[in-house]
Amino acid sequence: MTVKTNYIKINTSRNFEIIDITSKINELIDINEGIISIFSKHSTSAIVVNENESGLLKDIEFSMDNLISDKFSYQHDRIDNNARSHLKSFLLSSSECLPVKNGKLDLGTWQSVFFVELDGPRHNRTVTLTMVGE
Ligand code: ZN
């Protein structure tokens, strides 16, 4: 069994942006079979698994905006004015742990892995890939 680590650097261009990183992850997988942890090192972003369908991606943005309303004032806004970005991140997850088979992510037909920017645009967002397997 081995453990391998790699990183993906992402520049984002919008405040809310869903970026499909499935093929980047597959390029960097360095084990044949095992588990990969995909972890975003930021508290205003997320890693999620879902379907890459343009209407659905807009529905996700619409739903997040409605769940974390801009009608209220939030205490963290006194610090750096991005409370809603943190709260959206809190509802999602900073990581996913997924199976690897034959050197690739073993996803379902309609599944992709997304980096979700919640406080962009930002430079040098870092996603850590930790692979455990053989
Ligand atoms: Zn903040």
Side-chain angles (χ1 to χ4, degrees):
M1 191 183 72
T2 64
V3 180
K4 306 236 171 112
T5 303
N6 219 322
Y7 300 92
I8 298 175
K9 295 285 187 180
I10 300 169
N11 294 325
T12 63
S13 54
R14 294 192 292 123
N15 181 257
F16 185 101
E17 192 171 352
I18 302 179
I19 299 168
D20 191 329
I21 57 171
T22 311
S23 59
K24 271 186 187 162
I25 295 167
N26 277 330
E27 283 169 23
L28 294 171
I29 286 180
D30 202 11
I31 57 173
N32 187 53
E33 188 160 10
I35 292 283
I36 183 168
S37 161
I38 302 147
F39 171 65
S40 173
K41 300 183 78 168
H42 311 279
S43 57
T44 55
S45 68
I47 301 292
V48 302
V49 175
N50 218 297
E51 182 178 345
N52 192 350
E53 190 278 312
S54 59
L56 176 64
L57 300 185
K58 290 193 175 92
D59 291 339
I60 293 169
E61 180 172 4
F62 173 80
S63 299
M64 295 300 294
D65 274 339
N66 282 291
L67 283 168
I68 308 294
S69 174
D70 61 2
K71 292 180 214 153
F72 305 117
S73 70
Y74 298 100
Q75 299 202 26
H76 182 70
D77 283 341
R78 290 180 304 194
I79 309 291
D80 61 358
N81 203 35
N82 66 352
R84 293 179 75 231
S85 304
H86 288 278
L87 293 168
K88 288 174 185 173
S89 176
F90 181 81
L91 292 181
L92 300 172
S93 176
S94 60
S95 69
E96 290 281 353
C97 198
L98 300 171
V100 173
K101 205 168 180 186
N102 300 319
K104 302 285 175 202
L105 288 166
D106 191 20
L107 296 168
T109 307
W110 303 106
Q111 288 179 314
S112 293
V113 183
F114 298 107
F115 174 84
V116 187
E117 175 61 77
L118 300 166
D119 195 32
R122 296 287 190 102
H123 286 287
N124 256 351
R125 293 296 215 180
T126 302
V127 175
T128 306
L129 307 178
T130 308
M131 296 155 255
V132 180
E134 53 191 20

